Amino acid sequence: MSDIQFVISEQPEELALAAQLIDGRDDDAHPLDHQVFFHSRAVILAKTFEGEIVGCAAIKAGKGTVGELGYLVVSSHYRRQGIAQGLTQKRIEVAKALGILILYATIRAENTSSQANLLKAGFHFWRDYLSIRGTGNTVGWYYLALSTNVDAEAIMLSLVGDRIQAV
């Protein structure tokens, strides 16, 4: 992974390439809303030194001290090299610089790679909820407090709203 650099990008052409990478993912996730993606608080790219974008991840759009992680994708030719972990670590650094106090992510139950990535980065599993999209999927909620004076329980409860907890 020493030949991969992790950079924040706001360049429209790079964001478009990152969106193409997300669109080409090999799972059954819902389609990417490009406008929402382009308005992320931060988009991190994993790039080779030649400039090829081989991965991306974001802190989704929003304001304030709570940030949601999303859109993590690594090109199939570059998987199992620590790039997803590097993208997550860079998002944590960027979140701290943005004044975010807690990061959270929602991960489908079958996505064990993403779950392991978050846990390795220090995230805590919070609870499982049923998907609000009516798919019947179970979605795990994970969080990472970036400050010691964060009431993670209260924040997470405010985020899940009226979702149904999975048993």
Side-chain angles (χ1 to χ4, degrees):
M1 189 179 69
S2 61
D3 61 336
I4 300 295
Q5 53 187 339
F6 300 97
V7 297
I8 300 170
S9 181
E10 295 178 356
Q11 297 180 17
E13 60 277 357
E14 286 188 337
L15 295 179
L17 290 170
Q20 285 179 358
L21 185 62
I22 296 167
D23 285 336
R25 64 190 165 204
D26 53 6
D27 62 12
D28 62 353
H30 58 279
L32 175 67
D33 182 329
H34 287 226
Q35 289 305 312
V36 171
F37 174 70
F38 293 150
H39 288 95
S40 296
R41 287 167 94 167
V43 175
I44 312 302
L45 304 179
K47 296 170 70 174
T48 65
F49 284 115
E50 294 79 27
E52 179 186 4
I53 297 171
V54 298
C56 67
I59 301 173
K60 292 183 173 184
K63 297 179 183 177
T65 59
V66 177
E68 181 182 7
L69 299 185
Y71 311 121
L72 190 145
V73 177
V74 176
S75 170
S76 60
H77 301 303
Y78 287 86
R79 292 186 185 149
R80 314 295 307 158
Q81 298 179 33
I83 294 171
Q85 192 68 45
L87 287 164
T88 296
Q89 288 300 330
K90 184 69 173 180
R91 286 186 293 178
I92 293 169
E93 292 171 22
V94 170
K96 289 177 181 177
L98 292 173
I100 293 172
L101 300 180
I102 188 167
L103 286 171
Y104 77 98
T106 57
I107 308 292
R108 287 177 298 141
E110 66 274 10
N111 190 345
T112 56
S113 296
S114 288
Q115 293 165 4
N117 176 40
L118 290 180
L119 293 171
K120 188 174 180 181
F123 280 72
H124 302 277
F125 170 75
W126 187 58
R127 294 183 183 148
D128 282 327
Y129 288 86
L130 298 178
S131 171
I132 61 170
R133 292 194 171 89
T135 61
N137 291 335
T138 297
V139 178
W141 287 63
Y142 296 79
Y143 73 90
L144 177 66
L146 302 176
S147 171
T148 56
N149 59 346
V150 169
D151 185 349
E153 180 75 13
I155 291 170
M156 295 303 290
L157 282 171
S158 74
L159 294 171
V160 298
D162 60 359
R163 289 175 175 84
I164 299 170
Q165 190 169 354
V167 181

